Amino acid sequence: MTADIRGTDAATRVAVLGAGSWGTTFAKVLADAAAASGVEREIRLWGRRREVVEQINLKHRNEQYLKDTPLPPSITASTDVAEVLAGAELVVLAVPAQTLRPQLREWKDLVEPGAFVVSLMKGLELHSDARMSEVICEELGIPANRVAVVSGPNLAMEIAREEPTASVVACTDPTAAGWIARSCTAPYFRPYTTADVVGVEIGGIVKNIIALAVGICEGKQMGDNTKASVITRGLAETSRLSLALGGEAQTMAGLAGLGDLVATCSSPLSRNHTAGRLLGKGLTLDQVTAEMTQTAEGIKSAQAVHELAGKLGVEMPITAAVVAVLAGKLSVDELGPLLLSRNLKPEGDY
């Protein structure tokens, strides 16, 4: 583990790239964690929209994404990514998954040598089927033990309101995972650690697709039995894919598996749940996209997950059905009956 950049037991200079709801919220978590532990920490937030950056600097608010939630004064923002990355020993990435690779190519030479990188993103890259940690390693040319993933039931607005939340920091290097976890341990945010990066990422990716399916069911005014059935079988699908890629079964029973799945599938704050609900009410995909103010990653990642499952020979019927709905090959009215028409088999047959 490269430790020469770390002057304390937790990060003191942090860059957060992405001023959306989760990026801004995680910057707040990092600031509150530092205040609680007595660490002096400089947190710089990169945003592409000047009005958002100016609002953060002048009003200590990000009203578009976090309404009237006050932000700590230790958070500053800039549209200049070089300024944000200068001297940062911890770099947090919170940009849309499908834009990550080209952005990293622009930012590569600006990242400090030896910096650790944290991914907050929950998507699978189209065409390459690469997880975000893999894209980061490839584009920045850094080893996997300097890349971590934060996942779990991470509804940004609830965390911004300081409602108690547990999460997971995954890194192949346990020491690095612990250092990052200490850096983001706030009075209301409790991170656990794991070395199962694959399982944590797959849990965060597939739950968005399952949330689309649950949202469609809700939009069609189906009941809790239906939604619980989709959530449970969705967890089975996620587990199959994770295990096929080398993930650990216990991860799926934890915060990054079941925890994130339940939160995303049941909360009106979930972008993917909302997108599915709108589809279930009869809106077209273009209409849903126009109405959403933020990216619903499940819409972008569903095809990539479906393709990856096919390559691995993993059966994922809910994912396949959602992909068919998004492609206009299946109507939302046909979704439920299709899933119930599958061949009978023991429940435990994953």
Side-chain angles (χ1 to χ4, degrees):
M1 177 178 175
T2 306
D4 57 335
I5 62 169
R6 296 177 300 149
T8 69
D9 197 39
T12 57
R13 290 166 294 172
V14 183
V16 180
L17 305 184
S21 57
W22 188 206
T24 306
T25 295
F26 199 74
K28 181 182 185 302
V29 169
L30 290 162
D32 292 341
S37 59
V39 173
E40 290 188 12
R41 176 173 295 157
E42 180 183 3
I43 301 164
R44 287 171 288 189
L45 183 61
W46 172 79
R48 57 185 179 82
R49 295 177 56 190
R50 184 167 299 279
E51 62 270 26
V52 171
V53 165
E54 290 178 351
Q55 189 179 84
I56 292 170
N57 289 332
L58 299 175
K59 297 183 178 180
H60 301 294
R61 297 281 193 281
N62 187 340
E63 293 174 355
Q64 178 175 351
Y65 296 111
L66 299 181
K67 299 182 180 179
D68 58 353
T69 302
L71 300 176
S74 58
I75 299 173
T76 60
S78 175
T79 57
D80 184 346
V81 71
E83 177 185 340
V84 169
L85 285 169
E89 56 191 340
L90 182 63
V91 176
V92 179
L93 296 170
V95 299
Q98 305 307 324
T99 70
L100 177 63
R101 191 181 293 275
Q103 287 182 302
L104 287 180
R105 289 176 180 171
E106 294 180 12
W107 299 338
K108 178 178 180 178
D109 295 337
L110 303 175
V111 177
E112 293 289 337
F116 288 84
V117 180
V118 172
S119 169
L120 301 184
M121 299 160 292
K122 298 179 178 181
L124 195 68
E125 188 179 47
L126 289 168
H127 309 303
S128 74
D129 301 335
R131 292 175 284 111
M132 295 298 98
S133 66
E134 294 176 314
V135 175
I136 292 167
C137 290
E138 290 170 12
E139 292 301 327
L140 295 185
I142 59 178
N145 63 4
R146 275 178 39 209
V147 178
V149 175
V150 173
S151 192
N154 297 146
L155 296 166
M157 185 59 73
E158 291 187 1
I159 298 173
R161 293 194 297 249
E162 303 186 9
E163 297 177 12
T165 302
S167 196
V168 178
V169 176
C171 184
T172 57
D173 184 338
T175 304
W179 180 70
I180 293 166
R182 288 189 295 276
S183 298
C184 63
T185 299
Y188 53 89
F189 191 81
R190 203 293 191 189
Y192 291 80
T193 60
T194 181
D196 184 15
V197 176
V198 171
V200 168
E201 283 194 288
I202 292 300
I205 293 165
V206 182
K207 58 95 184 184
N208 286 332
I209 303 167
I210 307 304
L212 286 170
V214 172
I216 290 171
C217 292
E218 187 167 306
K220 295 298 297 179
Q221 297 185 323
M222 297 178 185
D224 292 333
N225 285 339
T226 304
K227 290 182 283 185
S229 299
V230 174
I231 290 171
T232 306
R233 295 313 301 169
L235 181 62
E237 283 192 20
T238 310
S239 300
R240 284 196 294 268
L241 183 61
S242 175
L243 292 172
L245 290 167
E248 300 173 8
Q250 66 183 26
T251 301
M252 292 299 102
L255 291 162
L258 179 61
D260 201 6
L261 181 65
V262 169
T264 306
C265 289
S266 60
S267 175
L269 295 174
S270 163
R271 288 169 282 180
N272 293 279
H273 176 273
T274 299
R277 180 171 49 80
L278 294 173
L279 287 169
K281 287 185 173 182
L283 273 69
T284 66
L285 182 57
D286 287 341
Q287 289 171 328
V288 170
T289 302
E291 186 159 330
M292 300 283 291
T293 58
Q294 298 186 70
T295 302
E297 289 287 5
I299 293 175
K300 300 290 187 179
S301 295
Q303 181 62 39
V305 171
H306 183 52
E307 291 175 359
L308 179 60
K311 292 175 184 177
L312 296 171
V314 175
E315 189 180 15
M316 300 185 71
I318 299 174
T319 297
V322 169
V323 168
V325 169
L326 295 176
K329 298 177 181 179
L330 184 74
S331 74
V332 292
D333 294 324
E334 297 171 300
L335 179 65
L338 176 66
L339 296 176
L340 291 178
S341 67
R342 300 181 65 233
N343 293 332
L344 299 179
K345 65 176 184 177
E347 182 185 24
D349 286 358
Y350 279 11

